[in-house]
């Protein structure tokens, strides 16, 4: 029995040696690979290959690629690992038109910048040109448009920045599906009320309302219009007390009656 045990152990010794040799070889290969990887990284970081060679910009509509790159403060003199992407994003967000920015490294030496511009809420008519009006109330004067596409309301007569900003804030609060029904907005201040707005809607109605509580007033527009099927076009006056509708036909009849009364009184 003892001889059998000795033979059994002796038979296992070569296998144990072989297993140790393989384990040692694997460990050696691992350290060699790690060494060469570290050497490669050091060589890469010291070579021109680690310097920014290309900057791509995406997501912009109004701002030029050149301006975004300028604000990023990146150049081909920068090592791709020599800056924090969060710092570059903060630089780009200094542009008043930018809401958010994301900067990514694309190995070996490319940078991708993706920006999110502030939303456009309307266009400001300035005679020959119209200019996008952003959600922060800023007008993009460098972005001239000669052909208005109707993708946002067109504003007229807004020559006071205070009232323009008030309207912008209200438009931002108004649901987009209601804003899409507004074609044109005219500021028509009077001596007693500087907040009067006259709007022309895409469904043929005309609306009189106020810049004050504009979003609240216009939120009721769909329900008001739903009750006016087949009554003809006219003017809807929406205020704090509710809404009043008059057809153009009835208003013309009233004007005729008033003229007749005036003629009778003069006669």
């Amino acid at each position: 029995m003892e001889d059998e045990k000795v033979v059994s152990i002796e038979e296992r010794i070569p296998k144990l040696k072989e297993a140790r040799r393989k384990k040692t070889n694997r460990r050696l290969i691992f350290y060699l690979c790690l060494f060469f990887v570290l050497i490669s990284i050091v060589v890469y970081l010291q070579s021109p290959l680690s310097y920014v060679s290309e900057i791509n910009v995406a997501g912009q509509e109004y701002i030029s690629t050149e301006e975004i790159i300028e604000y990023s403060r990146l150049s081909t003199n920068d090592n791709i690992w020599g800056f924090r992407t969060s710092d570059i994003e903060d630089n780009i967000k200094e542009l008043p038109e930018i809401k958010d920015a994301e900067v990514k490294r694309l190995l070996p030496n490319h940078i991708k910048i993706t920006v999110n511009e502030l939303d456009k809420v309307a266009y400001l008519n300035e005679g020959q040109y119209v200019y996008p009006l952003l959600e922060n109330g800023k007008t993009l004067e460098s972005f001239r448009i000669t052909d208005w596409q109707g993708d946002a309301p067109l504003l007229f007569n807004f020559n006071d920045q205070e009232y323009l900003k008030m309207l912008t804030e209200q438009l931002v609060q108004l649901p987009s599906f209601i804003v899409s029904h507004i074609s044109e907005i005219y500021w028509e201040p009077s001596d007693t009320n500087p907040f009067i707005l006259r709007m022309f809607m895409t469904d043929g109605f005309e609306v009189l309302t106020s810049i004050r509580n504009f979003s609240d007033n216009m939120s009721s527009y769909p329900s008001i219009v739903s009750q006016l099927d087949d009554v003809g076009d006219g003017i809807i006056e929406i205020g704090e007390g509710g809404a009043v509708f008059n057809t153009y036909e009835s208003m013309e009849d009233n004007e005729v009656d008033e003229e007749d009364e005036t003629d009778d009184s003069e006669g």
Side-chain angles (χ1 to χ4, degrees), residues 19-225:
R20 278 199 204 95
R21 188 179 65 79
K22 288 181 178 179
K23 186 176 181 180
T24 302
N25 288 344
R26 284 198 298 268
R27 188 177 297 170
L28 178 62
I29 291 171
F30 170 77
Y31 285 122
L32 285 174
C33 290
L34 181 61
F35 174 75
F36 284 115
V37 167
L38 292 175
I39 291 295
S40 299
I41 291 174
V42 171
V43 172
Y44 164 68
L45 291 176
Q46 297 299 318
S47 73
L49 193 61
S50 66
Y51 283 79
V52 176
S53 68
E54 186 176 326
I55 303 173
N56 297 313
V57 180
Q60 82 279 19
E61 181 180 357
Y62 308 117
I63 312 172
S64 67
T65 297
E66 292 74 19
E67 189 172 7
I68 292 172
I69 293 175
E70 180 183 350
Y71 267 77
S72 75
R73 301 182 181 90
L74 285 175
S75 72
T76 53
N77 295 322
D78 293 312
N79 189 292
I80 196 171
W81 302 106
F83 55 84
R84 294 191 302 178
T85 57
S86 59
D87 291 339
I88 305 303
E89 291 166 355
D90 290 339
N91 292 342
I92 296 169
K93 284 187 282 189
E94 290 177 7
L95 278 162
E97 299 88 352
I98 296 296
K99 181 188 295 184
D100 199 9
E102 181 183 47
V103 176
K104 287 185 177 180
R105 296 181 177 92
L106 302 178
L107 297 179
N109 50 21
H110 289 186
I111 297 294
K112 182 178 180 180
I113 299 173
T114 304
V115 298
N116 183 14
E117 295 175 325
L118 289 166
D119 291 334
K120 171 189 64 196
V121 296
Y123 292 99
L124 186 64
N125 182 281
E126 292 288 355
Q128 185 179 359
Y129 302 105
V130 298
Y131 302 90
L133 177 67
L134 303 181
E135 60 182 284
N136 63 351
K138 178 181 175 57
T139 304
L140 291 181
E141 297 181 355
S142 61
F143 200 84
R144 294 178 176 178
I145 300 173
T146 56
D147 185 19
W148 174 58
Q149 299 297 319
D151 56 324
L154 187 59
L155 310 185
F156 292 85
N157 306 331
F158 281 86
N159 49 23
D160 189 307
Q161 286 297 316
E162 178 184 354
Y163 292 95
L164 179 61
K165 187 172 182 180
M166 288 174 61
L167 177 61
T168 302
E169 293 171 352
Q170 293 292 315
L171 283 169
V172 170
Q173 298 175 37
L174 191 63
S176 58
F177 77 93
I178 298 179
V179 175
S180 66
H181 282 82
I182 304 174
S183 177
E184 299 176 359
I185 303 178
Y186 291 78
W187 183 42
E188 298 184 351
S190 66
D191 294 335
T192 58
N193 186 355
F195 301 99
I196 300 174
L197 294 177
R198 183 182 300 274
M199 292 180 290
F200 293 91
M201 314 299 287
T202 58
D203 51 15
F205 290 104
E206 187 176 340
V207 176
L208 284 175
T209 190
S210 171
I211 297 178
R212 285 177 171 173
N213 302 317
F214 174 82
S215 61
D216 291 335
N217 292 344
M218 290 303 296
S219 293
S220 61
Y221 180 78
S223 62
I224 294 171
V225 172

